[in-house]
DNA sequence: AATCGTTCCTGATAGC
DNA sequence: TGCTATCAGGAACGAT
């Protein structure tokens, strides 16, 4: 599923290939993807505009239009943003299609229809954006800041790291991968981590995200980049989707358990 | 204020 | 073989 590294990969693809493109027409094939907004004002505001640039905040893709408005996209579990030629077959799960001048299009496809997009004059006015915690690859995300955020949180560290107001952009895959690298069990109480463990966790989060971006993300299931290609970080996973396999660090068998309604992978041998 | 369960959705898959 | 039940999960939401 698209988390920070996947959304960042798509952002870079679109920045390189779609920036400057003019939208001739918007096709709304699934109005539900527009988060309750009626299709008519949506298409009307976008038609004829130019994509000025692509930014990212957490897992949100921010598409700036020349009108000053921003198209805020969240891919959730199965969303993809595919830049293709009009000669290419339209994906079966195409939900919103931006027909671009010059024979190309930008397709928002989404199997499970959980993904959303909305138009905002100022993205910071959206709760989903202003409530976000620090960018884990930004200067404000320090070990001290992570330690502060975990203080007073009695829930399991895995759940707390999935809270987007603590750190922005982590999902199930990278939380579990970071916890393994840090040697910390997902079930540990967040506020119970020692300072050295918090420091290790901070380093692990940064390291795993950087490595995943370098590998263009994890294509465990439906994730694809802006050209429809797979990422390859999944082959570097140490716990996620590795149930029953040997831990690459200590050799113990990786276990999977439903924990708080989510599949949770960890190594009982080296995660304490 | 934090936390927990529920809900949304549909293709893939396991089980019979 | 073919059908059906189950599963995957980010985040909003309501209840506690």
């Amino acid at each position: 599923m698209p988390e920070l590294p996947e959304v960042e990969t798509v952002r870079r693809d679109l920045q390189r290939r779609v920036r400057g493109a003019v939208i001739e027409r918007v096709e709304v094939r699934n109005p539900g993807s527009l988060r309750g907004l009626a299709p008519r004002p949506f298409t009307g505001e976008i038609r004829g505009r130019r994509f000025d640039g692509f930014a990212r905040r957490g897992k949100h893709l921010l598409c700036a239009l020349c009108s000053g408005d921003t198209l805020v996209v969240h891919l959730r579990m199965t969303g993809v943003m595919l830049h293709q030629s009009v000669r290419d077959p339209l994906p079966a799960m195409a939900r919103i299609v931006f027909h671009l001048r010059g024979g190309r299009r930008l397709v928002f496809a989404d199997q499970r229809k959980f993904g959303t997009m909305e138009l905002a004059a100022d993205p910071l006015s959206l709760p989903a954006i202003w409530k976000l915690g620090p960018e884990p690859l930004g200067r404000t995300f320090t070990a001290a800041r992570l330690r502060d955020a975990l203080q007073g949180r009695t829930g399991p560290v895995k759940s707390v790291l999935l809270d987007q107001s603590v750190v922005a952009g982590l999902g199930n895959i990278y939380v579990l991968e970071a916890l393994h690298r840090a040697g910390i069990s997902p079930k540990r109480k967040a506020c119970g981590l020692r300072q050295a463990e918090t420091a290790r966790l901070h380093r692990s989060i940064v390291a795993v995200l950087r490595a995943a971006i370098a590998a263009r993300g994890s294509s465990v299931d439906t994730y694809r980049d802006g050209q429809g290609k797979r990422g390859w970080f999944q082959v570097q996973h140490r716990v996620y989707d590795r149930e029953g396999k040997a831990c690459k660090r200590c050799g113990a068998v990786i276990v999977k358990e439903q924990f708080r309604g989510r599949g949770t992978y960890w190594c009982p041998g080296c995660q304490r």
Side-chain angles (χ1 to χ4, degrees):
Chain A
M1 60 226 118
E3 303 178 24
L4 188 153
E6 289 76 26
V7 179
E8 176 62 18
T9 300
V10 171
R11 183 197 73 76
R12 291 177 183 184
D13 289 346
L14 301 187
Q15 180 74 1
R16 201 158 84 85
R17 297 165 185 263
V18 183
R19 184 183 181 189
V22 174
I23 304 158
E24 289 188 327
R25 187 167 61 88
V26 186
E27 187 185 347
V28 179
R29 298 164 65 93
N30 177 52
S33 299
L34 301 182
R35 259 196 142 172
L37 181 72
R40 191 62 64 80
F42 179 82
T43 56
E45 289 296 326
I46 292 176
R47 187 189 192 121
R49 304 300 187 189
R50 186 185 66 234
F51 281 115
D52 265 358
F54 296 85
R56 181 190 56 75
R57 181 75 174 94
K59 302 174 198 170
H60 298 262
L61 181 64
L62 309 177
C63 315
L65 301 178
C66 64
S67 58
D69 287 340
T70 301
L71 184 68
V72 181
V73 181
H74 198 305
L75 302 172
R76 294 289 174 102
M77 262 86 72
T78 56
V80 298
M81 289 287 270
L82 188 61
H83 182 227
Q84 59 174 199
S85 162
V86 293
R87 293 185 300 277
D88 296 324
L90 197 64
M93 304 304 160
R95 307 303 185 194
I96 311 283
V97 184
F98 300 88
H99 297 272
L100 307 176
R101 186 177 293 168
R104 298 194 69 83
R105 62 192 172 213
L106 180 61
V107 182
F108 170 65
D110 183 24
Q111 179 196 114
R112 287 179 213 164
K113 295 185 174 177
F114 280 11
T116 58
M117 60 174 63
E118 61 190 310
L119 210 51
D122 176 14
L124 280 173
S125 68
L126 302 175
I129 302 294
W130 64 254
K131 285 182 178 175
L132 290 173
E135 280 295 321
L137 297 181
R139 284 181 193 171
T140 60
F141 183 63
T142 61
R145 175 125 189 219
L146 178 63
R147 186 170 4 111
D148 288 346
L150 299 184
Q151 286 300 318
R153 301 295 298 254
T154 58
V157 61
K158 187 213 168 179
S159 307
V160 174
L161 290 177
L162 286 173
D163 183 340
Q164 300 298 296
S165 70
V166 171
V167 190
L170 297 180
N172 211 27
I173 294 175
Y174 297 106
V175 163
L176 293 173
E177 290 296 317
L179 284 168
H180 178 267
R181 286 175 182 232
I184 297 168
S185 163
K187 298 182 173 181
R188 287 276 297 281
K189 277 171 74 168
C191 60
L193 296 187
R194 291 186 293 275
Q195 187 163 334
E197 291 176 316
T198 314
R200 251 182 8 238
L201 182 56
H202 172 262
R203 282 198 303 275
S204 299
I205 290 169
V206 173
V208 77
L209 293 177
R210 287 203 176 130
I213 290 171
R216 299 185 61 78
S218 303
S219 288
V220 174
D221 193 6
T222 57
Y223 165 72
R224 297 293 184 274
D225 68 17
Q227 291 79 245
K229 297 200 172 108
R230 305 171 72 98
W232 55 86
F233 192 67
Q234 64 277 6
V235 305
Q236 293 178 53
H237 287 181
R238 301 182 187 182
V239 284
Y240 191 87
D241 205 26
R242 297 195 69 241
E243 182 185 15
K245 295 181 177 168
C247 174
K248 296 176 182 178
R249 180 164 55 198
C250 76
V253 176
I254 303 298
V255 297
K256 179 189 186 184
E257 187 179 311
Q258 284 300 118
F259 180 61
R260 306 284 250 263
R262 293 289 175 264
T264 300
Y265 301 85
W266 83 98
C267 173
C270 60
Q271 288 182 262
R272 300 289 165 185

